Structures are given as C-alpha cells and as structure tokens.
C-alpha cells in the first residue's frame, strides 16, 4: 500500500493496478491460494485509486513481459508504468525478457534505506541503455519506456515483503 500511495502521489498517477500473480517464477515457495490473496488485496485496497486484478491468471502467464504486452494491446491509450520496491529492482536482471520489458514500459522503484547505496549497487542502475531519473519531489513525469524512476522517499517503510512473509511463517 505504501509503494502504491507513494507512486500515485510522486508521479501524479491516475490509478494503480495491483496485478496479483499466480506464482513468481523466481520464488520456489508456492504462494497462498490465489483467491485468498485476491480477497486480501481487495480488502486492503480501500480506495478507487487502486484496482486489483488477476489478469495473469486469466492470461495463463506469470511473465511480466507477456502481461505488459497484453495490457498495452488491450489499452493502447493508457500510459503504463511498472511500480515496485527495491527487492524487484535488485533482481530485475533475472526476469524473463527483462531488457524487452524495459523497452515496453517505464519502471519506478520505491527506495528504502539505505536508498543511495542500494541504487548504486543495483544491476538495473548499471544498465546503460536505460535512462535513470531520481524523483525527489512530486510532479507529472513523462512515462516514456526506457526510463527508470528512483523514488527517494522521505517517509519510508523499511520492511520488505520477504521479511513480512518470513515473520508470518514463524507465528
């Protein structure tokens, strides 16, 4: 929720779509039941600015590149941007078709402490074909494919989804 609200405000977005995936191909552990996760997401997203979708299940994919191509085809007038936290930025180079994905859609990564050193070490930051923009203040930025936005948050939630899942396993 923090990432979504930060992106909405920081980039002056109209709406954020939460794409609940059937399975992250980079994770070994199977996720909780898809319908349970959808229901939890819908319960958490208590604003019309967040739309929860199971489009990847409908499409029969878990590959972001395929999802983005489909979304752009079905919604040609929409300017999409891929929003994630630093965990995804640090592993993006392991995703299927990651370079093609970056040519299809701009990305925004919400940083967490230590923000500047995490960005500096990030393999995506070292990808020279990508244009990198540091966002220090809210504004309407042009959402151009081939651009990565690094949102430097003043108010950060310094916890990752992996940490949350691990803490739930222990209880």
């Amino acid at each position: 929720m923090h990432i979504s609200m930060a992106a909405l405000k920081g980039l002056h977005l109209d709406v954020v779509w939460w794409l609940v995936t059937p399975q992250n191909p980079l994770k070994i552990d199977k996720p909780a039941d898809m319908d349970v996760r959808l229901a939890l997401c819908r319960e958490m997203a208590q604003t019309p600015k967040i739309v929860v979708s199971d489009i990847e299940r409908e499409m029969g994919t878990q590959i972001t590149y395929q999802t983005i191509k489909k979304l752009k085809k079905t919604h040609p007038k929409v300017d999409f941007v891929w929003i994630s936290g630093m965990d995804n930025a640090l592993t993006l180079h392991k995703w299927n078709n990651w370079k093609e994905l970056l040519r299809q859609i701009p990305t925004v990564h919400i940083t967490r402490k230590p923000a500047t050193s995490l960005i500096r070490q990030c393999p995506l930051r070292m990808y020279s074909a990508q244009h990198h923009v540091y966002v220090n203040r809210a504004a309407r930025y042009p959402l151009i494919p081939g651009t990565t936005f690094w949102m430097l948050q003043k108010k950060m939630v310094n916890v990752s989804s992996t940490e949350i899942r691990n803490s739930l396993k222990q209880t």
Side-chain angles (χ1 to χ4, degrees), residues 19-140:
L19 305 180
V20 181
T21 187
Q23 169 71 43
N24 180 332
L26 296 179
K27 295 188 178 176
I28 298 168
D29 295 338
K30 289 197 68 83
D33 178 77
M34 180 79 169
D35 291 323
V36 170
R37 289 184 294 128
L38 279 166
L40 288 171
C41 287
R42 287 184 177 121
E43 184 179 316
M44 192 182 332
Q46 297 180 2
T47 171
K49 294 272 188 178
I50 297 177
V51 175
V52 178
S53 172
D54 65 345
I55 190 171
E56 288 190 327
R57 176 169 64 178
E58 292 173 20
M59 291 172 50
T61 188
Q62 57 199 23
I63 307 300
T64 303
Y65 173 69
Q66 294 171 354
T67 305
I68 294 305
K69 280 183 60 174
K70 173 77 172 184
L71 285 172
K72 287 181 73 171
K73 185 177 180 181
T74 56
H75 305 283
K77 296 184 181 194
V78 174
D79 290 326
F80 288 103
V81 59
W82 185 262
I83 303 167
S84 77
M86 280 303 295
D87 290 1
N88 282 329
L90 293 168
T91 62
L92 189 69
H93 64 286
K94 296 179 182 179
W95 291 21
N96 288 303
N97 307 96
W98 69 277
K99 289 180 182 178
E100 292 84 359
L101 175 67
L102 294 173
R103 285 191 282 273
Q104 289 284 321
I105 189 170
T107 58
V108 60
H109 303 286
I110 312 299
T111 60
R112 60 184 159 110
K113 293 180 182 177
T116 52
S117 65
L118 277 174
I119 294 170
R120 203 173 17 254
Q121 297 171 27
C122 184
L124 173 59
R125 177 63 185 96
M126 295 172 210
Y127 183 50
S128 62
Q130 196 72 357
H131 177 66
H132 298 275
V133 176
Y134 292 85
V135 177
N136 290 313
R137 60 183 171 76
R140 187 169 295 280

Side-chain angles (χ1 to χ4, degrees), residues 1-7 84-87 109-119 135-136 150-160 163-164:
M1 182 63 94
H2 172 76
I3 288 172
S4 297
M5 298 312 291
S84 77
M86 280 303 295
D87 290 1
H109 303 286
I110 312 299
T111 60
R112 60 184 159 110
K113 293 180 182 177
T116 52
S117 65
L118 277 174
I119 294 170
V135 177
N136 290 313
W150 302 97
M151 289 193 68
L152 305 170
Q153 296 296 293
K154 292 176 178 70
K155 294 180 182 178
M156 291 192 259
V157 176
N158 196 26
V159 64
S160 72
E163 291 170 334
I164 293 169

